[in-house]
Amino acid sequence: MHKPKQPKLVADWERLKKIFIRPEDDDCKEILVKYMEQILFGLHEFINRNVGVTEEISLKELTAGFQDTVINSDPEKKLAEVISDIISQIAPRAVNVASPYFVGHMTAAIPFFMVHLKAIVAALNQNVIKLETSKVLSVLEKQVLAKIHRLIYGFDESFYNQHVQNADTSLGSFTTGGTTANLTALWVARNNFFKPFDYIYKNTGGIDTGTASLNTGSESIDRIHAGIQLNNIKLTGKFDGIESEGIAQALKAYCFENAVLLVSRRGHFSLKKSGGILGIGNKNVIPVDVNAEHRMDVIRLLRTIKDIKKDGKTGIISVVGVAGATETGIVDPLDDIADICEEQGINFHVDAAWGGPVMLSEKYSHKLKGIERADSVTVDGHKQFFMPMTCGMVFFKSPLSMNHIAYHSNYVNRQGSVDLGIKTLEGSREANSLILDSALKIMGTRGYALIIDHGIETAKKFAQEIKNRDLFELITEPELNILTYRMVPPEIRQRLSSADIDEKKRLNAQIDQINIAIQRKQREAGKSFVSRTRMAYGGMVEEVVVLRSVIMNPMTNIKILNEVLDEQERILKSLDYILKNDTLLSFTGKSPSV
Amino acid sequence: MHKPKQPKLVADWERLKKIFIRPEDDDCKEILVKYMEQILFGLHEFINRNVGVTEEISLKELTAGFQDTVINSDPEKKLAEVISDIISQIAPRAVNVASPYFVGHMTAAIPFFMVHLKAIVAALNQNVIKLETSKVLSVLEKQVLAKIHRLIYGFDESFYNQHVQNADTSLGSFTTGGTTANLTALWVARNNFFKPFDYIYKNTGGIDTGTASLNTGSESIDRIHAGIQLNNIKLTGKFDGIESEGIAQALKAYCFENAVLLVSRRGHFSLKKSGGILGIGNKNVIPVDVNAEHRMDVIRLLRTIKDIKKDGKTGIISVVGVAGATETGIVDPLDDIADICEEQGINFHVDAAWGGPVMLSEKYSHKLKGIERADSVTVDGHKQFFMPMTCGMVFFKSPLSMNHIAYHSNYVNRQGSVDLGIKTLEGSREANSLILDSALKIMGTRGYALIIDHGIETAKKFAQEIKNRDLFELITEPELNILTYRMVPPEIRQRLSSADIDEKKRLNAQIDQINIAIQRKQREAGKSFVSRTRMAYGGMVEEVVVLRSVIMNPMTNIKILNEVLDEQERILKSLDYILKNDTLLSFTGKSPSV
């Protein structure tokens, strides 16, 4: 970073004023626009130069220039320098997630207009926590939430007329991502489950006959305690709700020893984390096994629920189904889960962070059948709505659900105000609804559907190609636009076919090592990128390493995917692995970098 | 919204490709740049036209155009139309937070380069949850966190050399705002307090002598149970930690009945909310009263701690001090609180969401003395670092603290990886560190200090002006750049001076109504904006309505603030209030709008 001779930059009041008062004269305007041009096209050219994913570089090399921890007193650089540094120093060492060869994660190219829209949001810099700092943007947010709510739940016109701009009700909320969307949904579910009461329970000495009367909420306690034997415990008095009193008191008040969440084994790790954060304990986030198709096994779900309910000591806060699992793209049998939850009186949440926008496709929206029966739904904006990082959303079937998490204060979110911050996990939030609203206007549902359909159909072709190739084994079929597979060298495949269980284990461990090496080497080569994970398949208990492809970039086509497979075949051939005494002895090549 | 005759827009593959592949030819480039120009200067002109805050409009009028809840199938608009709609329809109904007359909330003008930087972040669209989707941006984030950590804690060079790029340790994390930063800090504190153990406790029949040995973490259980009588309860066996087992089990394992957080009464409502979310119960977030200077009363703090510890049934997870209270800008006596926490072996968190950047000022950083003794500190980027919405940060004195919230999964954040998403509340996150890093380079600490100093000194002048005016009463002196005051009509002020307690109450209720009316009318007039809140002052138990000014915009000066007061005086005179039988009978004017 050679510095040309320049007058030293100093922080002074004149310079500061120039920065805060946007420049008036045409010269200054021109310069500002030129910077934006650099951003739009300088970064663009980097992307064009680097068709593949990113520069090959080790973590050690990467961190070398980022060790200094002292902030300069005087200004070091002008905006122009900062921008050109970013273009020359940062961008080449970032990941070109926009490449159609980047098919490993749920991050891809976004339409160019998203950059413009994000710039607008920054320029307006509204804070939608309250009306006083956002005004029309709060109103727009409610409208956009109603639009997506309608897409999910499809209630009638009069329902939406009543709620779209209703200050007392909420159809959902924008969040900063899928994790906080799931957390919000489960926070609401937890608080609804352990809601406040004020009653005297007439003890009938056996099964709860539900004669207790609640004076809060619209539901009666019948539903909550349906089928639970109360062991002659007398439920009396007043409980202020779990949000106020905490979990230990809540369990006591409801005569439970424990509370759990039931989640598909393929559920995102944010669900387990939510159990931890919410004080339920993440070991009480109980995974429900999947069937051979990698969907939640509803027979097991029902059995688990009945087992848990048997002794009446454990409350089930929610069952979570997944619509577009992170690893496989699989959609759980939502209608069946809804049946069970309805019958058992249990809250039903759907994590559709990935799959939600499939509802925009006339051709494939049926895959999410049953989602309209969920009590709450998570959808991400920065995934298949192709918004810039980050934007999540959570929706509730009942416009009253979010009252369970309302917070007020004297300075914002006063009681009775229309401030959106009353019922959100986050505090200050940017006006992301403006981006989604604009994108929906520019794309229409059909524009989004084109991308969704293309992803699903390209993934199907890709799966066929994998099956056609001898060196590959498809692990999960693409229900949506995600699939998993692995490479199996012919000599191991042959042995595998006749192996007993122990032998299979050993061989799979070898295949794991090979696939880890292939994924790393391909990533390091920097032309294309698939990710990897581990999962059980084909009735095995043991997990194996699988390669994972996410086809979300509309520019990714089967030709490109074939190139990705070709490269993997070449890497496999280059691997100097030695199969000897059932042990994979060594690989050539330098040690893996990042 | 009259539509000119135009060919109907359709969603087709060609159009989609154009959107995703950034345009190559010069014509297209020119158009994209022109759009950005519109954004930079079209919005700018709106701001210039509307010197004041925003258009006067009722909530009913405001929501009128935002009722439709159906998403169009075909594209409705092109980007150019969307942008001009935003400039003509949305911007005038947004809040001009950039106006120097907007002194009511912690949202203000941001330097123009922030829009460029936000556009860069969107164009790169990295996801810092993992290295595979962010690479150098993960590395940069660690560096920027170390820079701010050093500003707070000022450890020596070798400490930062060891940790700045250490994949196993964390100095803090970027969050999406102050609320999730506080939540993260208290989540860590909760998990540290109820950490896992595996030991046999030798019961000595009285005071815990601390002979138990822990096999996890670096601290011994001595500190946690210091001074707590265990009532002959035998602590034996194994506990997996609160994150895994949940709060009810944690309380049992540690022989507590309850756990609490102690927070300054002036603490932000996110602290109470955190208690609710974390399962502690928000009634267990215990407010510690403030003294006459509106600072946490440390004598009361110590008394509260001793009272709580007396029976050994309640664990104190953390004491939270505030550095720049939302309502008053007051800084709690951090050094005194640190003394108490050290002596009592209690975690100490500082919410410096607002005040943190004051550390950049040579002149005023001493006001935060003691912050370097906190176990964790919250700082917001979108407040006094003047970043666009939203960016928060949380820092931990110990580089190992964040291990308490580590989560792994097979597909991201694998054990041993350097993925930043392992130890964050949020999942996917944008690369906000690039904005802060660039801003620090452009501004230098001295550039920021100029703004900080200007705010504090202008607030002092403003306070003097309020004291000089007969119609006003200063409620809280500006320790930093926030102050509160109220208007008191002379006829009421006179009565107030000789009133007994009951009479004072009645008169204050009247003054409240007048101040509410003034704040509303000024907001509606749209030229300037102060906010209002309620607080107790001057030894009274009852809260009164106060007007609140936040002087963060460097373009806000005493001349502008005098105009704000002049306008309030004019509004007071125009109020047709009738004081009769101690009752404020009526106001003229239409009913308050938003």
Side-chain angles (χ1 to χ4, degrees), chain B residues 72-347:
Chain B
N72 229 44
S73 301
D74 276 315
E76 269 176 78
K77 282 170 188 174
K78 289 184 170 180
L79 178 59
E81 252 184 292
V82 165
I83 293 174
S84 54
D85 278 2
I86 290 173
I87 291 170
S88 64
Q89 310 286 324
I90 298 286
R93 294 184 175 85
V95 179
N96 184 1
V97 294
S99 163
Y101 291 83
F102 186 88
V103 291
H105 283 302
M106 293 167 156
T107 310
I110 51 174
F112 65 80
F113 65 74
M114 292 292 184
V115 179
H116 289 78
L117 295 173
K118 195 79 175 179
I120 291 175
V121 171
L124 288 172
N125 204 34
Q126 305 290 290
N127 184 350
V128 287
I129 190 177
K130 48 185 169 279
L131 203 66
E132 285 179 345
T133 50
S134 62
K135 223 167 160 176
V136 77
L137 277 310
S138 281
V139 170
L140 181 71
E141 178 162 321
K142 280 188 85 83
Q143 184 189 20
V144 178
L145 287 168
K147 284 182 179 178
I148 309 292
H149 190 280
R150 189 165 187 166
L151 187 68
I152 299 170
Y153 291 106
F155 290 142
D156 61 17
E157 187 74 19
S158 70
F159 175 89
Y160 291 102
N161 287 343
Q162 188 188 340
H163 293 291
V164 57
Q165 294 299 344
N166 191 328
D168 299 323
T169 61
S170 300
L171 299 176
S173 114
F174 274 81
T175 67
T176 48
T179 293
T180 50
N182 279 335
L183 180 56
T184 302
L186 297 174
W187 180 27
V188 167
R190 184 199 72 176
N191 289 8
N192 181 46
F193 188 82
F194 290 114
K195 59 166 79 75
F197 62 72
D198 184 358
Y199 74 115
I200 296 161
Y201 174 68
K202 289 179 195 141
N203 181 12
T204 57
I207 301 293
D208 179 0
T209 53
T211 50
S213 70
L214 273 173
N215 69 358
T216 55
S218 56
E219 288 173 298
S220 86
I221 198 156
D222 305 6
R223 186 188 150 196
I224 296 160
H225 272 179
I228 293 173
Q229 181 153 5
L230 285 172
N231 301 325
N232 294 323
I233 292 160
K234 211 172 166 188
L235 282 178
T236 53
K238 186 172 166 8
F239 173 61
D240 281 344
I242 191 169
E243 187 70 12
S244 165
E245 301 209 19
I247 291 188
Q249 289 305 317
L251 290 171
K252 268 185 217 161
Y254 278 86
C255 299
F256 285 124
E257 286 179 11
N258 203 12
V260 299
L261 299 165
L262 302 181
V263 177
S264 164
R265 189 172 286 283
R266 291 271 168 275
H268 189 256
F269 77 105
S270 62
L271 298 165
K272 195 175 171 193
K273 185 155 80 172
S274 295
I277 293 170
L278 292 169
I280 297 160
N282 64 33
K283 76 156 59 158
N284 296 315
V285 179
I286 296 173
V288 180
D289 275 331
V290 293
N291 58 22
E293 289 170 315
H294 295 267
R295 285 175 229 282
M296 187 195 273
D297 184 331
V298 287
I299 315 264
R300 286 194 203 200
L301 172 65
L302 188 58
R303 202 188 307 143
T304 307
I305 291 172
K306 288 188 171 165
D307 280 352
I308 290 172
K309 282 192 166 181
K310 212 177 282 169
D311 68 359
K313 287 180 183 165
T314 301
I316 304 173
I317 291 175
S318 181
V319 172
V320 184
V322 183
T326 313
E327 289 167 290
T328 60
I330 292 294
V331 180
D332 280 332
L334 304 179
D335 247 335
D336 296 342
I337 302 174
D339 284 343
I340 293 173
C341 287
E342 231 169 73
E343 185 200 301
Q344 298 287 326
I346 301 173
N347 175 282

Side-chain angles (χ1 to χ4, degrees), chain A residues 153 182 184-194 219 223-224 260-263 301 305 309 315-321 337-338 340-350 373-377 395-398 401 404:
Chain A
Y153 290 107
N182 279 335
T184 302
L186 297 174
W187 181 27
V188 167
R190 185 199 72 178
N191 290 7
N192 181 46
F193 189 82
F194 291 114
E219 289 172 299
R223 186 189 149 196
I224 296 161
V260 298
L261 299 165
L262 302 181
V263 177
L301 171 65
I305 291 171
K309 283 194 166 181
I316 304 173
I317 291 175
S318 182
V319 172
V320 184
I337 302 174
I340 292 172
C341 287
E342 231 169 73
E343 186 201 301
Q344 299 288 325
I346 301 172
N347 175 281
F348 176 33
H349 173 63
V350 172
R373 297 170 66 190
D375 293 293
S376 53
V377 175
F395 300 93
F396 294 88
K397 191 199 263 172
S398 160
S401 288
H404 286 295

Side-chain angles (χ1 to χ4, degrees), chain A residues 11 13 15-16 18-20 22 24 32-33 36-37 39 41 44 54-55 57 66-69 72-77 93 95 105 109 111-112 116 125-126 130-132 135-136 143 150 164-165 176 179 187 190 240 243-244 246-248 251 268-269 273 276-279 281-283 326-327 389-390 407 410-411 413-414 424-425 428-430 438 441-442 444-447 451 454 519 523 529 532-534 543 594, chain B residues 11 13 15-16 18-20 22 24 32-33 36-37 39 41 44 54-55 57 66-69 72-77 82 93 95 105 109 111-112 116 125-126 130-132 135-136 143 150 164-165 176 179 187 190 240 243-244 246-248 251 268-269 273 276-279 281-283 326-327 389-390 407 410-411 413-414 424-425 428-430 438 441-442 444-447 451 454 523 529 532-534 543 594:
Chain A
W13 199 248
R15 192 165 171 267
L16 202 65
K18 271 192 205 157
I19 286 173
F20 271 85
R22 274 158 236 224
E24 295 305 305
L32 281 185
V33 171
M36 228 14 139
E37 214 176 315
I39 293 167
F41 305 113
H44 176 46
T54 187
E55 236 184 34
I57 188 169
F66 299 86
Q67 300 286 338
D68 183 25
T69 56
N72 230 43
S73 300
D74 275 315
E76 271 176 76
K77 283 170 188 175
R93 294 183 176 86
V95 179
H105 284 302
F112 64 81
H116 289 78
N125 204 34
Q126 304 291 291
K130 49 188 167 278
L131 204 65
E132 285 178 346
K135 222 165 161 179
V136 76
Q143 184 190 21
R150 189 164 188 165
V164 57
Q165 294 299 344
T176 49
T179 293
W187 181 27
R190 185 199 72 178
D240 281 344
E243 188 70 12
S244 165
I247 291 189
L251 290 171
H268 188 257
F269 77 104
K273 186 155 79 172
I277 293 170
L278 292 169
N282 64 34
K283 75 156 59 157
T326 313
E327 290 168 288
M389 290 287 149
T390 60
Y407 273 84
N410 284 337
Y411 41 101
N413 305 333
R414 281 185 285 264
T424 55
L425 189 140
S428 297
R429 285 185 304 109
E430 66 189 314
S438 301
K441 281 174 179 154
I442 293 170
T445 57
R446 288 198 184 129
I451 311 179
H454 172 268
Q519 192 261 354
R523 186 180 60 187
F529 173 74
R532 66 183 160 86
T533 183
R534 301 180 62 87
E543 291 182 337
V594 297
Chain B
W13 199 248
R15 194 167 169 266
L16 202 65
K18 270 193 207 157
I19 287 173
F20 271 87
R22 275 159 235 224
E24 296 304 304
L32 280 185
V33 170
M36 226 16 136
E37 217 176 313
I39 292 168
F41 305 112
H44 176 47
T54 187
E55 236 184 35
I57 189 169
F66 299 86
Q67 300 286 338
D68 183 25
T69 55
N72 229 44
S73 301
D74 276 315
E76 269 176 78
K77 282 170 188 174
V82 165
R93 294 184 175 85
V95 179
H105 283 302
F112 65 80
H116 289 78
N125 204 34
Q126 305 290 290
K130 48 185 169 279
L131 203 66
E132 285 179 345
K135 223 167 160 176
V136 77
Q143 184 189 20
R150 189 165 187 166
V164 57
Q165 294 299 344
T176 48
T179 293
W187 180 27
R190 184 199 72 176
D240 281 344
E243 187 70 12
S244 165
I247 291 188
L251 290 171
H268 189 256
F269 77 105
K273 185 155 80 172
I277 293 170
L278 292 169
N282 64 33
K283 76 156 59 158
T326 313
E327 289 167 290
M389 288 287 147
T390 59
Y407 273 84
N410 284 337
Y411 41 100
N413 304 335
R414 281 184 285 263
T424 55
L425 189 140
S428 297
R429 283 186 304 109
E430 66 188 315
S438 302
K441 281 173 180 154
I442 294 171
T445 58
R446 289 201 184 127
I451 311 179
H454 172 268
R523 185 180 60 188
F529 174 74
R532 65 182 162 86
T533 183
R534 301 180 63 87
E543 291 182 336
V594 297

Side-chain angles (χ1 to χ4, degrees), chain B residues 364-385:
Chain B
Y364 295 108
S365 63
H366 66 89
K367 287 185 178 283
L368 268 57
K369 182 83 184 55
I371 197 171
E372 72 284 358
R373 298 171 66 191
D375 293 292
S376 53
V377 175
T378 287
V379 182
D380 262 349
H382 61 252
K383 293 195 170 94
Q384 298 205 76
F385 277 116

